[in-house]
């Protein structure tokens, strides 16, 4: 990431200089040179913002990105709680990520929209919350993110890249906008293909069918296996099966192949739900009825695997500590973010909570376990411990999902 700072700085400055020359030629006074820089993580937001200001100071223009009176900016940022952010805003650079407080976030957005600051550094996740924000230069600093659970770097999803590019706006008198995508050389042709050619829209219903099917059975929309097959014929997946059979693992595009695929998919899905005791299939294996577990899963909108785990783990003798262990193992928390080099912070935090954390088979991967991290964040909430910004955002994410799980118990 450090090697991309200089090209990013040049991209912002060159676009700003080009606009200034065009403005002078047309005798138009315009400040349409705003820039958004997308980075892979929340931590990188602060690092990159500081590095851009370092480059500006090295050029002898520390306030290059400031577009308003410094006294006015200082007055506007007095209520910003993040000290580093407050210092950066005075020089015309702000950063934005999910861990910022609502007040700090709104202050940064107001200053950027008004044109008081030129550069906004945003985390990858923030691209979906910036719908009303536009800039004339968008820089995507690297197209990879660290996947903590797999311990490797993975490419950005194509929809994320397209959403970031969409922040570049052509509005204004200059009629000019640009997006700079920085990626590995061997990925250049890959991104050219998907950015310049139509991108097919495919369904992921086959990987999420269990919970959807359970909800329809609970609502009595599906009462038999034939109803389940008919239900699938009204979905996007059914339309795309024939158009892109290889994507879905379809052996052929004939009517027989399609019928066999749907029948097998329904059989395996309902079989898994029956094994989890969320539905029952009668003796003739045609009619399907919901069970209490299936109704609970559908009502509280929790995954069928979680309800199955609750039914096997909970008993009348389960104590509070056991409830904490069980709810932390819920499948809903499998997507909890895992970040680089947080083990030391989590280890110190674990020494301050009252209940020991659940053990894992491998202590080296302890802090990459969603169950352990969820257990720790819940205890930190109960103990009212102060957390770093990233972990505080993770804690809010966990708390928003734990309430329906406790109600379902």
């Amino acid at each position: 990431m450090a090697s991309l700072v200089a090209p990013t700085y040049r991209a912002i400055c060159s676009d700003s200089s080009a606009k200034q020359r065009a403005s002078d030629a047309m005798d138009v006074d315009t400040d349409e040179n705003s820039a958004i820089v997308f980075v892979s993580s929340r931590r990188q937001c602060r690092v990159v913002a500081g590095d851009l200001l370092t480059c500006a100071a090295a050029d002898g223009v520390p306030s290059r990105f400031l577009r308003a009176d410094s006294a006015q900016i200082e007055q506007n940022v007095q209520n910003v709680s993040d000290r580093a952010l407050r210092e950066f805003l005075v020089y015309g650079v702000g950063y934005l990520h999910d861990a910022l407080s609502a007040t700090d976030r709104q202050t940064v957005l107001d200053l950027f929209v008004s044109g008081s600051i030129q550069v906004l550094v945003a985390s990858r996740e923030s691209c979906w919350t910036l719908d009303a924000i536009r800039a004339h230069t968008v820089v995507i600093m690297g197209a990879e993110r660290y996947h903590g659970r797999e311990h490797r770097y993975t490419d950005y999803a194509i929809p994320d890249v397209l959403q970031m590019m969409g922040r570049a706006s052509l509005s204004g008198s200059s009629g000019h906008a640009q997006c700079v995508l920085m990626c590995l050389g061997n990925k250049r042709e890959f991104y050219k293909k998907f950015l310049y050619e139509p991108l097919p829209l495919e369904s992921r219903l086959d990987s999420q069918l269990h919970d959807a099917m359970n909800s329809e059975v609970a609502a009595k929309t599906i009462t038999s296996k034939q109803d389940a097959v008919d239900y699938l014929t009204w979905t996007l997946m059914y339309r795309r099966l024939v158009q892109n059979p290889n994507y879905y693992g379809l052996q052929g595009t004939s009517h027989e192949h399609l019928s066999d695929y749907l029948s097998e998919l329904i059989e395996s899905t309902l079989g898994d739900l029956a094994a989890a005791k969320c539905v029952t299939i009668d003796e003739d294996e045609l009619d399907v009825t919901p069970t209490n577990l299936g109704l609970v899963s559908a009502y509280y909108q929790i995954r069928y695997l979680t309800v199955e785990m609750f039914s096997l783990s909970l008993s009348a003798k389960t104590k509070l500590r056991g409830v904490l262990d069980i709810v932390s193992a819920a499948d809903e928390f499998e997507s909890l973010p895992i970040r680089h080099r947080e083990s030391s912070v989590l280890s110190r935090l674990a020494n301050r909570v009252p209940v020991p954390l659940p053990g894992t088979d491998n202590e080296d991967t302890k802090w990459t376990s969603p169950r352990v991290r969820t257990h720790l964040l819940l205890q930190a909430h109960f103990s009212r411990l102060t957390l770093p910004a990233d972990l505080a955002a993770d804690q809010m994410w966990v708390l928003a999902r734990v309430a329906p799980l406790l109600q379902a118990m």
Side-chain angles (χ1 to χ4, degrees):
M1 185 64 72
S3 62
L4 300 179
V5 173
T8 300
Y9 176 75
R10 288 196 296 269
I12 297 172
C13 294
S14 62
D15 187 59
S16 176
S17 301
K19 288 186 177 64
Q20 187 61 48
R21 288 194 298 270
S23 174
D24 294 341
M26 295 184 297
D27 194 23
V28 176
D29 185 15
T30 179
D31 288 329
E32 296 173 348
N33 49 13
S34 56
I36 299 178
V37 180
F38 287 105
V39 295
S40 59
S41 65
R42 303 169 189 167
R43 179 178 175 274
Q44 289 295 332
C45 289
R46 181 181 299 182
V47 174
V48 170
D51 289 343
L52 290 176
L53 289 178
T54 300
C55 292
D59 281 351
V61 194
S63 299
R64 176 189 290 273
F65 305 122
L66 187 62
R67 294 293 181 267
D69 182 67
S70 59
Q72 181 182 357
I73 291 291
E74 291 179 359
Q75 183 179 0
N76 291 334
V77 303
Q78 286 180 354
N79 296 326
V80 174
S81 57
D82 190 321
R83 186 176 65 178
L85 176 61
R86 186 166 60 248
E87 295 175 354
F88 292 162
L89 288 173
V90 173
Y91 290 96
V93 176
Y95 57 79
L96 197 67
H97 53 70
D98 295 340
L100 283 182
S101 66
T103 303
D104 290 359
R105 180 184 180 86
Q106 191 59 48
T107 300
V108 173
L109 291 177
D110 290 343
L111 291 175
F112 184 74
V113 171
S114 66
S116 299
I117 61 175
Q118 180 185 353
V119 180
L120 176 64
V121 183
S123 63
R124 174 186 58 86
E125 300 90 347
S126 300
C127 69
W128 295 99
T129 63
L130 297 177
D131 287 340
I133 307 300
R134 297 291 187 271
H136 288 77
T137 301
V138 171
V139 180
I140 305 175
M141 285 187 65
E144 292 183 332
R145 67 183 183 92
Y146 179 71
H147 197 296
R149 196 163 294 109
E150 298 181 6
H151 302 286
R152 65 186 182 92
Y153 285 90
T154 58
D155 293 332
Y156 285 177
I158 293 297
D160 288 348
V161 177
L162 294 175
Q163 180 71 8
M164 295 176 192
M165 292 183 63
R167 300 312 95 210
S169 172
L170 289 172
S171 62
S173 59
S174 64
H176 170 74
Q178 69 172 356
C179 177
V180 180
L181 172 60
M182 300 180 180
C183 63
L184 297 175
N186 57 1
K187 294 288 185 179
R188 183 178 302 173
E189 295 302 321
F190 170 81
Y191 282 109
K192 280 184 178 180
K193 175 180 176 60
F194 283 100
L195 295 178
Y196 297 132
E197 298 180 10
L199 182 65
L201 181 65
E202 302 296 348
S203 171
R204 295 296 304 276
L205 179 62
D206 53 339
S207 62
Q208 306 291 333
L209 187 58
H210 293 79
D211 294 314
M213 195 68 65
N214 179 67
S215 297
E216 298 300 336
V217 172
K220 301 297 180 67
T221 304
I222 294 176
T223 58
S224 66
K225 292 183 178 179
Q226 184 58 46
D227 289 343
V229 175
D230 294 341
Y231 170 80
L232 289 181
T233 61
W234 291 91
T235 62
L236 171 66
M237 185 185 75
Y238 181 78
R239 298 290 185 269
R240 294 299 304 169
L241 279 173
V242 181
Q243 302 296 327
N244 193 359
N246 291 332
Y247 181 84
Y248 300 96
L250 195 62
Q251 300 300 321
T253 59
S254 66
H255 181 72
E256 291 76 11
H257 285 100
L258 191 59
S259 298
D260 292 343
Y261 177 86
L262 293 179
S263 299
E264 183 180 350
L265 184 60
I266 293 298
E267 287 285 348
S268 62
T269 300
L270 293 179
D272 291 341
L273 291 175
K277 298 181 180 179
C278 290
V279 301
T280 57
I281 304 175
D282 63 4
E283 294 181 356
D284 60 6
E285 296 189 354
L286 292 178
D287 294 335
V288 182
T289 55
T291 64
N292 287 336
L293 292 180
L295 292 172
V296 169
S297 174
Y299 183 80
Y300 291 104
Q301 299 181 3
I302 60 179
R303 299 178 182 176
Y304 84 101
L305 292 174
T306 300
V307 170
E308 180 187 18
M309 186 265 294
F310 284 174
S311 67
L312 296 174
S313 305
L314 288 171
S315 67
K317 298 182 179 180
T318 303
K319 296 183 178 180
L320 183 59
R321 176 176 174 178
V323 171
L324 182 59
D325 290 341
I326 294 170
V327 76
S328 299
D331 196 59
E332 276 74 5
F333 300 124
E334 285 298 315
S335 57
L336 184 65
I338 308 294
R339 284 178 291 274
H340 246 332
R341 294 183 289 273
E342 277 190 341
S343 57
S344 59
V345 177
L346 296 175
S347 180
R348 291 195 300 269
L349 189 62
N351 295 329
R352 301 175 59 190
V353 296
V355 180
L357 300 177
T360 57
D361 297 334
N362 188 349
E363 288 297 319
D364 294 336
T365 60
K366 178 178 181 179
W367 303 119
T368 60
S369 168
R371 179 188 178 189
V372 174
R373 294 170 68 93
T374 302
H375 199 287
L376 181 59
L377 292 174
L378 288 175
Q379 287 199 68
H381 172 70
F382 300 148
S383 303
R384 298 297 188 266
L385 298 179
T386 302
L387 300 177
D390 288 345
L391 291 179
D394 292 346
Q395 187 184 65
M396 293 177 61
W397 186 89
V398 168
L399 293 176
R401 287 157 179 77
V402 78
L405 297 176
L406 294 176
Q407 292 172 338
M409 286 183 167

